[in-house]
Amino acid sequence: MPFMASKSGPFVGKIIAPGDKSISHRALIFGALARGTTSISGVLEGEDVLATGEAVAAMGAEVERCGVGKYEVTGVGQFGLRNPVAPLDLGNSGTGARLLMGLVAGQGLCAAFDGDSSLRSRPMGRVLVPLENMGARVSQTGENYRLPLTLIGSNPAIPIDYPMPVASAQVKSAILLAGLGAMGTTIVRERHPTRDHTERMLAHFGADIDVSQEGDDTVIRVSGKNSLVGRDIMVPGDPSSAAFPLSAAILAPGSDLMLPGIMINPTRAGLLTTLVEMGADIAFLNERDAGGEPVADLHVKASALRGIEVPAARAPSMIDEYPILAILAAAATGTTIMRGLSELRVKESDRLEAVLSGLKANGVEARAEGDDLIVEGCGAGAAIPGGGMVATHMDHRIAMSFLVMGLVSDEPVTIDSAEMIATSYPDFIGSMRAVGACIEEGDTGS
Ligand code: S3P
């Protein structure tokens, strides 16, 4: 079903962003592997995370929903999980699929993995090759290293010393998870640091994990002699979801919006750094620690943005935020150059392509040069033309980005489907409407 967003705002008030997706997945998985009970609050109840909950339950963990966003996971301890009877269906979720592959490999389990058509098209070799080095075997009849497939872990797994060939927290996390069941110490070397929630949370669960800087590399060592113990986890607000209302408020004149409790972990804060450089008025209030992650209340006001160059080195800390940054760049004065975006091509859709065609369909000049995206801003104060229909390719972040565009464009912007928004931000449209956004079902507004 298409949805249409029309010029609205100012956006004034408060929006509670959903719980962080990365942390919600990890809390459920580590809780399932730990001995005892893990109480989690603030869980993102989106389709991706719910699929991970179902998967760990299918492997023998007890997962109980005790209230909105509240879960108790009773884990089974090291090597206590069992083979799931049916294939694990991770839907649209690369994080769920790849992290659970690490779990299955390290715990000596056998599990079939499957997902929707987007997940079936995404590369899994980046995770499966190192897991094979750790002794796991992959059995499949279809295309090489694509879902559906069956993974058979070895017990115990073989520890490896792995220099990361791609900047990917999912790959790093899968190897570390497998390392929890390995005979000895598993080492991951990162040249380009990625989100470090796995490292932080494993330490919180009592794992023997060490992170150090060796020359240009961040080196993570995890011991296989692990006994994770159930813990309490408070999931902070997801900066990747908060990015959408935050951006709408920056772009709609007169806006003044509070976003309480947003995670500001430096490995996730690239968009905030970029926006401040572009001239956005964002105040970081009440900075504090919430369960091992830094959080702040973000107070954002409408701002005139200027185009900048975003360095490739920043990409891992804002990898999911480029679609919405492209919309912000379209409204800025001057040119914005975003460097080093090759990873955008293997997300839920080819995001580089999807963003480019969405921008062009709405009268914004943009081009890709190799892995760089260049957007010519329409000029702060001069609205984006809009009026286009955007193909979302069933990608939640493309859908939300172009709805935000429609809220600040001259003509409404229509997206072909809003269905996938439920994977990461189920109440996005409701929350935006509550602060005055005009988002309607259908493509004519009539
Ligand atoms: C995630 C890592 C990133 C990100 C994804 C969540 C995670 O993927 O795009 O939404 O929770 O580890 P990559 O590791 O493929 O970069």
Side-chain angles (χ1 to χ4, degrees):
M1 169 63 76
F3 270 74
M4 190 181 76
S6 322
K7 192 166 214 161
S8 28
F11 306 116
V12 177
K14 177 164 86 174
I15 284 188
I16 306 293
D20 187 72
K21 184 151 74 76
S22 295
I23 293 186
S24 298
H25 281 293
R26 285 161 173 78
L28 289 167
I29 295 172
F30 299 165
L33 189 55
R35 257 186 304 110
T37 301
T38 292
S39 301
I40 322 171
S41 59
V43 174
L44 162 64
E45 295 185 293
E47 288 168 2
D48 281 11
V49 172
L50 297 179
T52 289
E54 279 167 29
V56 294
M59 289 189 274
E62 231 176 83
V63 180
E64 196 191 336
R65 184 177 190 269
C66 317
V68 178
K70 284 195 189 324
Y71 285 77
E72 270 192 12
V73 181
T74 307
V76 291
Q78 179 85 306
F79 302 121
L81 290 168
R82 59 168 188 257
N83 296 335
V85 178
L88 303 176
D89 182 354
L90 279 312
N92 193 245
S93 178
T95 306
R98 294 185 175 125
L99 267 59
L100 288 167
M101 286 177 182
L103 180 75
V104 164
Q107 296 298 305
L109 299 170
C110 170
F113 287 84
D114 205 354
D116 67 9
S117 59
S118 154
L119 194 58
R120 282 181 170 201
S121 73
R122 295 179 68 185
M124 295 296 157
R126 51 180 56 201
V127 169
L128 293 170
V129 167
L131 295 181
E132 284 178 322
N133 294 342
M134 298 181 82
R137 281 181 299 122
V138 180
S139 136
Q140 66 180 135
T141 47
E143 207 190 323
N144 218 10
Y145 293 133
R146 294 277 197 279
L147 299 187
L149 55 81
T150 298
L151 183 66
I152 306 119
S154 79
N155 187 354
I158 303 159
I160 55 170
D161 183 338
Y162 197 69
M164 293 278 293
V166 281
S168 165
Q170 294 177 358
V171 176
K172 169 177 68 176
S173 302
I175 298 170
L176 294 176
L177 263 160
L180 292 175
M183 186 101 121
T185 299
T186 296
I187 305 173
V188 178
R189 297 173 194 272
E190 273 193 315
R191 181 58 52 94
H192 307 287
T194 59
R195 64 191 69 193
D196 62 358
H197 310 307
T198 295
E199 297 89 307
R200 287 172 186 256
M201 208 188 285
L202 280 180
H204 181 59
F205 274 89
D208 182 5
I209 181 163
D210 176 73
V211 182
S212 60
Q213 197 62 35
E214 294 181 13
D216 290 338
D217 290 346
T218 304
V219 182
I220 306 128
R221 291 183 168 80
V222 71
S223 153
K225 281 195 231 92
N226 273 290
S227 48
L228 304 192
V229 181
R231 296 279 191 232
D232 290 352
I233 308 264
M234 248 177 354
V235 182
D238 193 327
S240 301
S241 297
F244 299 105
L246 178 112
S247 301
I250 288 173
L251 296 182
S255 295
D256 185 325
L257 197 66
M258 280 298 299
L259 291 150
I262 305 302
M263 192 226 298
I264 54 165
N265 178 324
T267 63
R268 295 285 298 282
L271 179 71
L272 295 172
T273 307
T274 301
L275 282 173
V276 170
E277 282 176 16
M278 292 174 83
D281 182 348
I282 306 172
F284 295 72
L285 307 176
N286 194 15
E287 288 189 33
R288 58 201 183 270
D289 178 278
E293 292 283 351
V295 302
D297 303 331
L298 302 183
H299 182 195
V300 57
K301 292 186 186 161
S303 320
L305 300 182
R306 53 185 175 273
I308 61 161
E309 182 170 331
V310 186
R314 197 178 290 164
S317 68
M318 54 180 296
I319 196 64
D320 291 335
E321 281 69 81
Y322 284 100
I324 189 63
L325 177 59
I327 308 302
L328 291 151
T333 299
T335 307
T336 297
I337 305 173
M338 301 164 228
R339 302 246 184 242
L341 305 190
S342 57
E343 278 295 301
L344 287 202
R345 297 194 186 276
V346 291
K347 294 295 176 188
E348 285 83 331
S349 69
D350 178 342
R351 286 187 176 156
L352 201 46
E353 214 34 65
V355 163
L356 266 178
S357 45
L359 290 175
K360 287 179 189 162
N362 287 287
V364 179
E365 228 183 279
R367 62 191 187 280
E369 285 177 9
D371 292 334
D372 300 340
L373 173 62
I374 296 144
V375 178
E376 302 297 345
C378 298
I384 296 166
M389 161 66 96
V390 175
T392 59
H393 303 280
M394 303 293 279
D395 184 325
H396 55 134
R397 298 199 201 279
I398 299 297
M400 287 185 274
S401 297
F402 282 95
L403 285 178
V404 169
M405 179 193 250
L407 299 176
V408 296
S409 298
D410 263 344
E411 297 295 328
V413 173
T414 307
I415 58 168
D416 60 3
S417 166
E419 196 189 314
M420 299 313 281
I421 293 174
T423 61
S424 68
Y425 197 161
D427 193 34
F428 171 70
I429 292 176
S431 300
M432 290 304 299
R433 282 178 176 157
V435 293
C438 181
I439 302 177
E440 299 158 280
E441 211 170 301
D443 57 4
T444 60
S446 57

